[in-house]
Amino acid sequence: MMVEIVTLTGAIEFVLGEGVREGIRHLLRGRLETARDVFFEESRSGITAGNVPPDEFVSVALRYLRAAEEGTAKRNLRLMAQVMVRNVPQAPSLYADEFLRWADVLATLRREECIAVATLYRLMQEEFAGGAAPENLAGAATLKTTIALAQGDAFADEADVSQALSSATRTGLVQPHSGWGMLVYSTTPLMDKLATIVRLEDMERGEV
């Protein structure tokens, strides 16, 4: 066991040699610059979050930059930046608390999940506007989402779409139901709230 520990320690020291450390610093610098640019792009339309105390905003900025350092995709950073500038908290003192909740949801969303969740939300709204019975909303929207996305480039087939919706349930943005002879999904009140903050077209495109 001691030999294994010494060997592992030596390997780590080798990997973190000066040349690699400089490469890591360069990589992190690039990620932080990307996060900065994304935030500035989103803030150009005006910050509507209200009169937020400086310490609240610092907490939010640190969480946002930590996500960038950890390699969070640019599309996810953009959604997080939209929350930073557009979410109006219940009270200024709750700005950081509310952002941290959204950050935990948005930072981990894969591209396929973004597309599937946003498409499901849009189609549920269309079904509701079209007068669909409440008990049929989830089934109809899930079926249309699955068929539509399976014909695009982001998913291999209908099973791939279903997998994306299933994995997205961990975020609390969608929830599963039994019905229509299969597992169907509906968006949640949390997704309703998110839809008032971020640009859904960004989510549905899955692009940066």
Side-chain angles (χ1 to χ4, degrees):
M1 175 63 83
M2 182 60 69
V3 173
E4 292 177 357
I5 292 176
V6 171
T7 303
L8 179 59
T9 302
I12 292 175
E13 290 177 347
F14 175 79
V15 170
L16 295 180
E18 184 57 36
V20 176
R21 284 198 295 268
E22 180 58 33
I24 292 175
R25 284 194 290 269
H26 179 74
L27 173 65
L28 293 179
R29 189 181 308 117
R31 289 177 176 178
L32 292 175
E33 289 174 353
T34 296
R36 176 201 62 195
D37 293 345
V38 168
F39 174 76
F40 285 158
E41 289 170 9
E42 293 301 328
S43 63
R44 284 175 188 152
S45 59
I47 297 177
T48 59
N51 187 21
V52 176
D55 60 330
E56 289 284 307
F57 192 80
V58 168
S59 296
V60 164
L62 288 174
R63 176 64 180 87
Y64 175 68
L65 293 176
R66 178 161 64 85
E69 285 185 328
E70 292 173 349
T72 298
K74 187 176 179 180
R75 65 177 171 276
N76 301 66
L77 291 175
R78 187 170 300 283
L79 294 172
M80 293 171 70
Q82 289 172 18
V83 173
M84 289 174 70
V85 303
R86 300 174 67 179
N87 182 45
V88 179
Q90 297 182 34
S93 61
L94 295 177
Y95 177 70
D97 281 346
E98 293 188 12
F99 176 80
L100 293 177
R101 178 188 65 177
W102 288 119
D104 289 341
V105 171
L106 297 174
T108 63
L109 274 175
R110 295 185 294 108
R111 176 174 180 265
E112 295 81 4
E113 292 169 346
C114 281
I115 296 171
V117 170
T119 302
L120 178 67
Y121 179 82
R122 174 176 59 80
L123 291 174
M124 281 197 68
Q125 298 304 306
E126 291 179 2
E127 288 293 316
F128 179 77
E135 63 271 19
N136 292 332
L137 280 176
T142 299
L143 186 61
K144 288 185 176 182
T145 298
T146 303
I147 293 174
L149 293 181
Q151 296 174 350
D153 298 329
F155 298 89
D157 50 33
E158 294 183 2
D160 202 19
V161 180
S162 296
Q163 177 58 42
L165 289 172
S166 176
S167 62
T169 58
R170 75 182 189 285
T171 66
L173 297 176
V174 297
Q175 58 189 358
H177 307 273
S178 296
W180 288 52
M182 62 179 185
L183 194 63
V184 299
Y185 299 89
S186 66
T187 52
T188 65
L190 187 65
M191 182 61 196
D192 292 338
K193 173 64 175 176
L194 182 63
T196 68
I197 304 172
V198 304
R199 290 191 300 272
L200 287 180
E201 57 269 26
D202 288 348
M203 284 188 68
E204 191 166 353
R205 286 198 308 268
E207 300 172 354
V208 296

